[in-house]
Each structure stands twice: as C-alpha cells, then as structure tokens.
Amino acid sequence: MSAPDRPTRRFGVPALATSMVLLLAVGWVVSGRLVHDNPPLAVAAGRTVTSFLAICAICALRPSSWPGVRVSAGRWRAVGSLAVLGFFVYYTGTLLGVDRIGASRVGLVVSLLPCITFAIGIVAFREQTSTRKVLGTLLAVAAAFGYALDGGSSSGSTSTGALVGGVALALMGTFTYALYGYVYRQHMSDMPPMVALLPVTGVATVLLGVVAALFVPLGSVGLLDWAQIAVLGALLTAPVFLISHELIVRKGPLFTSAVALVVPFLVRLGEWARGAAEAPNLASVLFLILCSAGVWMTVAARTPPPAAETPAAEAPGAETPAPHSPSPPPAPSAETGRSTS
C-alpha cells in the first residue's frame, strides 16, 4: 500500500508507543468504572461496535483504502481467527476479569503479554530463547500473581475464588491476544492496519453483539453509560487498535506488548485518583517492580541470530530466508519483530 494509506507512518516509534500507553491506561480506568456498573459483555460489545464504526468512518473518507479493504476481507480465515483471538476471547476474558478483581489487577496480568508472547513464540513459531528470557518470564509471572493475590493491591476484599477466577479469565484473554500478534504479523502485516482492522472488527462486532443480545439484559444499561461506552470505543479503543497494529508491523509482537508494561502503574494511579482504590502499599509496589524487572529481562535479552553461525549467512540474500519472509512487503516487519524477541 502507498504511504497515504497508512496515516501513522508520519509518526516515529516513540510517539506511537507513548500515545498507545496513555490511551490504554485511560481506557482501562474507564472500562473499570463501566464494568463496575454494567454487564461486562455489554461493555465489550459496545466498545467493539463503536470502534468498528469509527474505523469505517475513517475508511469511508479515504477512497484509496477501499481496494485494500477488499483484499483483507478476502482473507476470511485470517479475519475470523483474528476476530476470535484478539477481540471476542480477549475482551470477554479481560472484562469479566475486571468485574471480579478490578482493572488494576487485570492490567497487571495483561502486562505479562511480553512473557506470554515470548513463550508462544518459542513453542509455536520457533523464536530463539535464552536463560535470561526464561528467568525473566518466571519472575514476571510470579510477581504478577503475588500482586493480584495481595490484599493491598485493590480496595475492598475479594474472595480467593473470585481472585483465582478473575486471574484465570484475564490470563486466558492475554494468552489469546499474544497469539493474535503472531497471526496478524503472518497474515496481515503487508496491509495498512486500518484496512486490515475493518473486516476483523466487523466480524468481532457480530460475534460479541450476538452473545450480548442473547445473554445480557441490554435494557439495564442507561443512556449515559451507552454514551460513555461509545466514547471508550471510538476515541480510545479504535486509536489504540491502529497504533498497536502499526507497531506490530514495524517492531514485532514482542516489542509492542512490552511497551504496555507501564500501563498497570498508570491504571493504579488512575483508580487511586478517582477514589476507586487505596494508595498502593509497600508489597504492591514491590510486586510491580519485580514484574517490571521480569518483563524487562524478557524483552531486553538478545540472542545472536543462528545464521551468523554458518558461512551461508555471509552469502547475498541470506538475510531474508524464505521460511519467515513469505512475501516482500512484510519481510522487514517480521525481521524486526524477530530481532526484538
């Protein structure tokens, strides 16, 4: 696609990453309040619908994007898989988790995305590993569970069953979103995020809308809450979609998920500022620091590329082996994503 079809190309990676973090943090705080007063599935469906409509409006104003939309929609298997992994299961798991254990705890579980992405990359996509990455992953997971189970990490008391159930739901959603990053990079990284996301969010809208209509009393949601859900979807969620997918294309799934590490800190401060949680205690701060250290170990560790170990690496064309660069357009993204993992 040409440069005009990708509006985010004019922004550098630091600007995109900063914007994504701020939008994610505000989105989690708003989601926490909405889920506290409304059925989680209604919030999930409403924000996805309005995100889809916002992306539709952008595409409608950009006729140059229409051919790309038709091409991406034609990849129906990838579109269906991405809709289920990155929207239906992810939103269902995380928002049901927020309903049980709060946005702050779920936000920390979601911050494990780099570690889960790393693990999936090793098992399913033959990503390289190292002792440092393994130890970092284990440290981050242990610290996240410690934070989630710590009584001072959220206001009020939560039963052990609700904590375990909420963490499990959040982990389920986080796992599917980690897998989503790799599926997107493999099948849609040659498309501008906007045109790739239009059919994906459209299918997700149908899935979440049907489930919400069948199992949620939508009449219990007030007009003011529907308006806030619409704002959440159109002004917070849709921009995050576009920015995060641009970062996946440029820097890979692991880098993109690692950028969100700071989000749980901002969410915690946001909940404290609006009176939904007490100030973090010493144990909570310690667990957050340990989790940050673990994720940093996972992301910052580098291993030499295997091609350097063989003379063939010096031959022309050895930099882009065919197995993980199926087509010329996504090759730079895929290589960049590998180097960060």
Side-chain angles (χ1 to χ4, degrees):
M1 291 294 163
S2 60
D5 285 337
R6 187 177 285 180
T8 48
R9 285 179 67 95
R10 67 175 64 97
F11 299 105
V13 169
L16 292 173
T18 301
S19 300
M20 186 182 76
V21 165
L22 293 176
L23 289 169
L24 276 173
V26 175
W28 276 112
V29 173
V30 174
S31 296
R33 195 209 68 77
L34 289 170
V35 168
H36 182 269
D37 300 328
N38 301 283
L41 285 175
V43 178
R47 75 187 298 184
T48 304
V49 169
T50 50
S51 299
F52 170 66
L53 294 176
I55 296 172
C56 280
I58 296 173
C59 287
L61 296 174
R62 300 176 63 86
S64 59
S65 68
W66 298 350
V69 172
R70 288 193 291 270
V71 172
S72 59
R75 303 173 184 179
W76 57 272
R77 290 183 179 177
V79 168
S81 299
L82 292 170
V84 171
L85 292 172
F87 293 85
F88 182 75
V89 180
Y90 173 68
Y91 276 147
T92 300
T94 54
L95 289 180
L96 287 174
V98 168
D99 188 41
R100 287 162 173 76
I101 61 176
S104 179
R105 285 167 171 163
V106 170
L108 188 70
V109 173
V110 173
S111 76
L112 294 176
L113 195 56
C115 300
I116 298 175
T117 301
F118 160 65
I120 291 176
I122 293 174
V123 174
F125 297 92
R126 298 183 180 179
E127 298 281 0
Q128 298 178 51
T129 185
S130 67
T131 302
R132 178 175 173 176
K133 286 186 176 183
V134 173
L135 292 177
T137 298
L138 294 175
L139 174 62
V141 171
F145 271 99
Y147 177 88
L149 296 174
D150 175 54
S153 64
S154 182
S155 61
S157 59
T158 308
S159 67
T160 302
L163 283 171
V164 172
V167 169
L169 286 166
L171 276 175
M172 176 186 69
T174 305
F175 176 86
T176 60
Y177 198 77
L179 183 58
Y180 171 93
Y182 283 106
V183 175
Y184 181 86
R185 190 180 71 176
Q186 283 195 335
H187 297 285
M188 291 291 194
S189 61
D190 60 326
M191 309 294 294
M194 182 171 60
V195 302
L197 281 170
L198 184 60
V200 172
T201 53
V203 173
T205 293
V206 173
L207 292 174
L208 285 166
V210 169
V211 171
L214 291 176
F215 299 104
V216 176
L218 298 179
S220 64
V221 182
L223 290 178
L224 180 59
D225 285 334
W226 279 124
Q228 293 181 22
I229 292 172
V231 170
L232 171 65
L235 301 185
L236 296 175
T237 307
V240 165
F241 286 164
L242 298 174
I243 294 171
S244 63
H245 286 72
E246 179 69 20
L247 286 175
I248 288 174
V249 171
R250 293 195 193 185
K251 300 290 289 181
L254 184 56
F255 174 88
T256 304
S257 56
V259 166
L261 173 62
V262 71
V263 172
F265 294 89
L266 299 179
V267 171
R268 190 72 179 85
L269 293 175
E271 289 194 324
W272 177 30
R274 73 182 185 89
E278 299 175 356
N281 60 20
L282 182 60
S284 298
V285 173
L286 177 60
F287 283 130
L288 285 169
I289 293 173
L290 290 174
C291 184
S292 302
V295 175
W296 176 252
M297 288 172 64
T298 302
V299 175
R302 292 179 179 270
T303 52
E309 300 173 3
T310 63
E314 300 176 2
E319 297 177 2
T320 54
H324 76 243
S325 183
S327 59
S333 319
E335 289 291 353
T336 308
R338 298 254 181 204
S339 67
T340 58
S341 54

